[in-house]
Amino acid sequence: MAKQRTAVLGVGQTKYQSTRGDVSMAGLVREAALRALVDAGLEWSDVDAVVIGKAPDFFEGVMMPELYLADALGCVGKPILRVHTAGSVGGSTALVAASLVQGGVHRRVLTIGFEKQSESNATWALSLPQPFSVSINAGAGGYFSPIIRRYMARSGAPDLIGCMVAFKDRQHALRNPYAHLHQHDLTFDQVVEAPMLWDPIRYSETCPSSDGACAMVLGDEAAGDAAAGPVAWVHGAAMRSEANNFPGRDEVNPQASRDCAADVFRQAGISDPRSEIDVVEMYVPFSWYEPMWLESIGFAERDAGWRMVEEGATHLDGGDLPVNCSGGVLSSNPIGASGMIRFAEAALQVRGMAGDHQVEGARRAFGHAYGGGAQYFAMWVVGADRP
Amino acid sequence: MKPVREVAVVSTAVHQVPALTGTTEVQLMVPLLNAARDAVGLTQADIGFTCSGSSDFLAGQAFSFVQTLDAVGAFPPISESHVEMDGAFALYEAWVKLQAGEVDTALVFSYGKSSPGSLRDVLALQLDPYFLAPLWPPADAVAAIQARLLLEAGKVSGEELAEIAVRSQRNAVGNPNAVRSSPDVAVEDVMAEVPIADPLRPSDLAVESDGGCAIVLAAGDRARQLCGRPAWIRGIDHRIDAHGLGTRDLSRAPSAELAASVAAATADLAIGSLDIAELHSPTTSQEAILIRGLGLGASTEVNPSGGALAANTLMAAGLVRIAEAARRIIDDGADRALAHATSGPCLQQNLVCLMTGV
């Protein structure tokens, strides 16, 4: 029994910003969903099922908010699933939606990720005291900075590679109207001189907190063929998870990441990712994760990912493997949507619909998300051609 | 849609108690996951896909499911996903994954430990966050509005609700995972109870429990290898109704009716002809709505385990219904069974799973 072919028919995004005080949570998700439907040339009644994802419910203080959002997402009388897999959730949500089509269960599925961080306080949500454990209140940056230092030590990367990634992504963001951060006057020196938050992570090398939603409509082969505009075909899709803490775990380059990428490339028939993938949207909440994931996914040799950054290989202008042309998580971070934005931006690239941040002639794109203690992974390869 | 692949429940493990004190969710799930896998001789390396369901609002911790991954044994890395839903919906996701044909086995689990908090208040935070949740209506008070509507519409009598409560408590006798049972409770005893949220009396409300459930699914010949008499999932569907309590007819659960009719059509089974039905009904009034709405026949034994009324583990009670119904097929020779799961206020979201022994 073969999987059914699956296509991205439409993409919809809200503007990402600190506070969307003009809309409720329902208004926010509906805005993205409607835009995805319009992009796909479909109506609410064309949607068979909805798959929604977001990060912890404490981020808005609403328990299982999909119950309340059912009306706004037009799914009264339809099935709705709610995915939660830590920071990778936006990617995982898209993959669950894809599996509904691949499994032949539904023909057209609306999938959406959102976060409205302004409704609550993420630092409070992440710092609730737990019995029998000491809270270090270090935030995500405090968790990842030792891992980054380990990467720097073992790869011999120069100190300013992270700043180069951050500056590049903020430049890219200027070409994406939906991006949260539009820092027109930012200079590289300002990135370098920003306050050090969690050594070696500067304030300028971290992601913002955003409100926003991103939606996609996925369809089966017939729906893909019937679409008026270009679609993005799913060539490979996989999720992997591994335990967080055990002796010998490679936290810099987790095996779950390597396994997940290998599975996706196998499905897509890709043997040389660097030359066969045209554009990458990867989950980089802290700048140094760009070279780290370049290595882990297989775009660079071990300890050599930083050289791609240094050479400008990941820049939209002149790079052979542009990474995060949308500005990435470093420029917009509605957490529950951040993974889906990566998947959706990959789809936009191969549909030729990425606007000012389009990579000319992109045929195959890689979408990536990770979460937890770098232990949850979701990835896909989408292409302009039917697989 | 017609399932392209036969998928069955091949093993189940359940544990429910009034309160797990001094036991973490990880400690709860390790023996359950081992039991479900051991029963069919599988290790985690043999499992193609793993999916779980739980709620951060019960754990009081963001990303609480990350810890529970330790109970699975997730190294080498596994293909895995999590829903912030009852485990019955995790089972649905795993069933979908098996339909795509790349894996032959799946492990599904869920758990809930509500005893550290006040569940009737916590559930208020499931309601519309702008117009309803700020009022903090307790869950039993919300359910009582629905029960009052049923009574005043003449769709059910107080005695009939009491009869449902009595059946649950009597059926639960001998079920080690029920936390409320009584061999000799009578309708008069229930009717004499002082209501908690009028008209709902203590016996009308499901008794809260802590616990978890693990299930192994397998497809086709793999299921036949692993289990002498698999519980074949012939139809499974879930639907949701509008959230606003004022926008729907609370005396019905249209999403349950629709899920049942879709599942029945897929399974080519008549709902009226089933041997048993395990219903996830948090109140007797909701059980009355389900019995009528699903179209259960007079010959169908309802909640032989005592049902969720006898032990309602939030996030697991729906998956426990599937486990209980499947176990009747696997171990006790039942032929046709229905399992139901619900989520949200007043039966807002519903899943129906139809299983057969042949």
Side-chain angles (χ1 to χ4, degrees):
Chain A
M1 222 300 301
K3 280 193 300 197
Q4 305 295 306
R5 289 196 179 97
T6 303
V8 180
L9 309 176
V11 169
Q13 302 182 68
T14 66
K15 170 81 172 97
Y16 306 115
Q17 60 191 59
S18 298
T19 305
R20 277 298 301 269
D22 60 319
V23 287
S24 63
M25 275 174 256
L28 186 74
V29 296
R30 193 171 172 88
E31 187 175 301
L34 261 175
R35 287 175 180 171
L37 284 172
V38 168
D39 184 23
L42 297 172
E43 307 280 341
W44 290 106
S45 57
D46 295 319
V47 173
D48 299 327
V50 176
V51 183
I52 184 168
K54 67 175 299 300
D57 291 357
F58 289 119
F59 281 8
E60 287 82 12
V62 185
M63 182 182 188
M64 300 156 77
E66 63 282 0
L67 295 166
Y68 140 74
L69 294 171
D71 309 44
L73 289 170
C75 62
V76 170
K78 294 178 185 176
I80 181 169
L81 287 172
R82 156 71 195 288
V83 180
H84 180 20
T85 62
S88 63
V89 62
S92 307
T93 302
L95 294 185
V96 172
S99 73
L100 284 166
V101 177
Q102 290 170 332
V105 178
H106 294 302
R107 292 201 53 213
R108 282 180 293 261
V109 178
L110 171 69
T111 184
I112 183 160
F114 82 99
E115 210 70 64
K116 203 157 187 290
Q117 295 204 60
S118 63
E119 299 270 338
S120 180
N121 181 322
T123 300
W124 166 79
L126 292 171
S127 308
L128 296 170
Q130 289 300 308
F132 313 116
S133 64
V134 177
S135 174
I136 53 174
N137 284 320
Y143 183 90
F144 289 115
S145 65
I147 302 173
I148 291 170
R149 282 203 295 276
R150 175 71 187 138
Y151 170 73
M152 294 170 75
R154 92 180 188 190
S155 69
D159 288 351
L160 295 184
I161 291 295
C163 292
M164 294 179 72
V165 172
F167 186 59
K168 173 205 64 149
D169 281 3
R170 302 282 160 61
Q171 286 182 306
H172 285 174
L174 296 175
R175 296 154 78 160
N176 175 10
Y178 294 114
H180 178 167
L181 298 183
H182 282 148
Q183 298 170 301
H184 293 277
D185 302 323
L186 184 73
T187 65
F188 183 70
D189 288 346
Q190 286 173 334
V191 173
V192 176
E193 289 158 10
M196 189 64 82
L197 284 189
W198 304 277
D199 195 353
I201 305 173
R202 294 166 178 79
Y203 180 70
S204 56
E205 296 176 82
T206 66
C207 49
S209 289
S210 314
D211 285 358
C214 176
M216 289 189 284
V217 182
L218 306 182
D220 64 4
E221 185 163 17
D225 288 340
V231 302
W233 295 96
V234 177
H235 289 201
M239 285 189 263
R240 286 292 187 282
S241 312
E242 73 179 42
N244 175 256
N245 198 341
F246 57 89
R249 177 169 184 242
D250 188 343
E251 295 189 70
V252 172
N253 188 353
Q255 187 177 328
S257 165
R258 287 175 274 143
D259 289 359
C260 192
D263 190 2
V264 167
F265 290 136
R266 178 190 57 78
Q267 292 174 37
I270 287 172
S271 54
D272 180 4
R274 172 100 186 242
S275 67
E276 294 179 68
I277 293 288
D278 300 314
V279 54
V280 176
E281 280 282 340
M282 64 164 71
Y283 203 96
V284 179
F286 302 103
S287 59
W288 280 93
Y289 268 93
E290 176 172 307
M292 289 161 68
W293 292 142
L294 284 171
E295 294 174 23
S296 184
I297 293 164
F299 292 118
E301 294 296 316
R302 185 184 149 121
D303 298 338
W306 61 269
R307 293 185 193 277
M308 286 180 66
V309 175
E310 195 176 53
E311 291 159 4
T314 60
H315 204 289
L316 178 50
D317 293 326
D320 71 289
L321 188 72
V323 174
N324 291 333
C325 302
S326 66
V329 180
L330 283 174
S331 303
S332 314
N333 188 31
I335 302 178
S338 291
M340 190 167 293
I341 297 168
R342 310 278 74 72
F343 280 51
E345 285 284 345
L348 286 173
Q349 288 284 352
V350 298
R351 295 169 74 204
M353 297 174 70
D356 289 343
H357 60 285
Q358 175 71 43
V359 172
E360 283 310 311
R363 303 297 293 173
R364 279 207 280 200
F366 185 79
H368 166 275
Y370 87 95
Q375 62 187 127
Y376 289 86
F377 296 88
M379 306 179 192
W380 81 0
V381 170
V382 287
D385 300 316
R386 187 193 315 259
Chain B
M1 78 120 219
K2 206 76 190 165
V4 288
R5 257 187 129 195
E6 286 188 312
V7 171
V9 174
V10 293
S11 80
T12 67
V14 178
H15 183 60
Q16 296 183 116
V17 292
L20 282 166
T21 49
T23 304
T24 66
E25 287 85 344
V26 175
Q27 290 168 319
L28 163 70
M29 289 314 299
V30 167
L32 285 176
L33 293 166
N34 284 340
R37 289 180 300 219
D38 290 351
V40 287
L42 297 182
T43 67
Q44 187 60 32
D46 304 316
I47 301 288
F49 183 66
T50 301
C51 198
S52 63
S54 68
S55 167
D56 280 351
F57 260 79
L58 287 191
Q61 183 183 15
F63 303 116
S64 56
F65 57 91
V66 174
Q67 270 75 38
T68 322
L69 196 56
D70 285 346
V72 179
F75 199 83
I78 60 174
S79 177
E80 187 259 355
S81 185
H82 172 266
V83 292
E84 196 84 352
M85 306 177 84
D86 187 287
F89 295 90
L91 181 135
Y92 179 84
E93 184 183 330
W95 175 83
V96 169
K97 193 82 177 170
L98 287 161
Q99 291 303 313
E102 290 198 327
V103 296
D104 296 328
T105 54
L107 174 67
V108 179
F109 66 96
S110 70
Y111 53 90
K113 191 177 156 181
S114 61
S115 61
S118 171
L119 191 55
R120 65 197 292 269
D121 296 315
V122 171
L123 285 171
L125 296 172
Q126 256 187 1
L127 303 171
D128 180 315
Y130 304 105
F131 296 108
L132 214 45
L135 303 173
W136 288 87
D140 42 26
V142 172
I145 294 171
Q146 184 179 36
R148 173 62 63 197
L149 197 77
L150 273 187
L151 289 170
E152 294 193 349
K155 293 194 173 185
V156 72
S157 68
E159 288 75 14
E160 286 169 306
L161 295 184
E163 283 166 10
I164 289 172
V166 166
R167 167 172 43 71
S168 164
Q169 294 186 35
R170 292 188 177 176
N171 285 358
V173 173
N175 174 4
N177 289 303
V179 303
R180 180 172 62 195
S181 65
S182 170
D184 49 15
V185 66
V187 167
E188 308 82 70
D189 302 327
V190 173
M191 297 295 284
E193 292 175 0
V194 178
I196 287 180
D198 198 4
L200 297 175
R201 302 180 170 86
S203 289
D204 289 313
L205 295 163
V207 58
E208 293 165 16
S209 53
D210 292 350
C213 178
I215 282 179
V216 175
L217 298 178
D221 288 340
R222 190 82 172 108
R224 293 183 189 91
Q225 287 165 8
L226 295 171
C227 180
R229 186 178 161 82
W232 297 101
I233 297 172
R234 299 300 183 190
I236 184 168
D237 194 73
H238 64 95
R239 305 280 160 162
I240 195 165
D241 287 315
H243 181 70
L245 299 176
T247 63
R248 47 181 169 125
D249 175 2
L250 293 177
S251 71
R252 286 178 52 215
S255 59
E257 296 170 17
L258 183 56
S261 65
V262 171
T266 310
D268 204 14
L269 276 177
I271 298 276
S273 72
L274 302 171
D275 300 328
I276 60 162
E278 280 284 340
L279 305 179
H280 181 189
S281 38
T283 66
T284 53
S285 45
Q286 290 172 359
E287 189 156 314
I289 291 170
L290 289 168
I291 290 170
R292 185 181 293 113
L294 298 177
L296 296 178
S299 63
T300 301
E301 188 184 1
V302 177
N303 286 337
S305 71
L309 287 168
N312 190 22
T313 303
L314 193 72
M315 309 314 288
L319 188 63
V320 170
R321 302 279 73 71
I322 296 175
E324 288 286 355
R327 197 183 57 74
R328 303 265 160 185
I329 291 172
I330 295 169
D331 294 339
D332 300 346
D335 289 321
R336 295 174 300 275
L338 177 149
H340 159 265
T342 196
S343 180
C346 297
L347 298 173
Q348 188 196 348
Q349 186 177 25
N350 293 281
L351 178 147
V352 172
C353 176
L354 292 173
M355 293 174 282
T356 68
V358 288

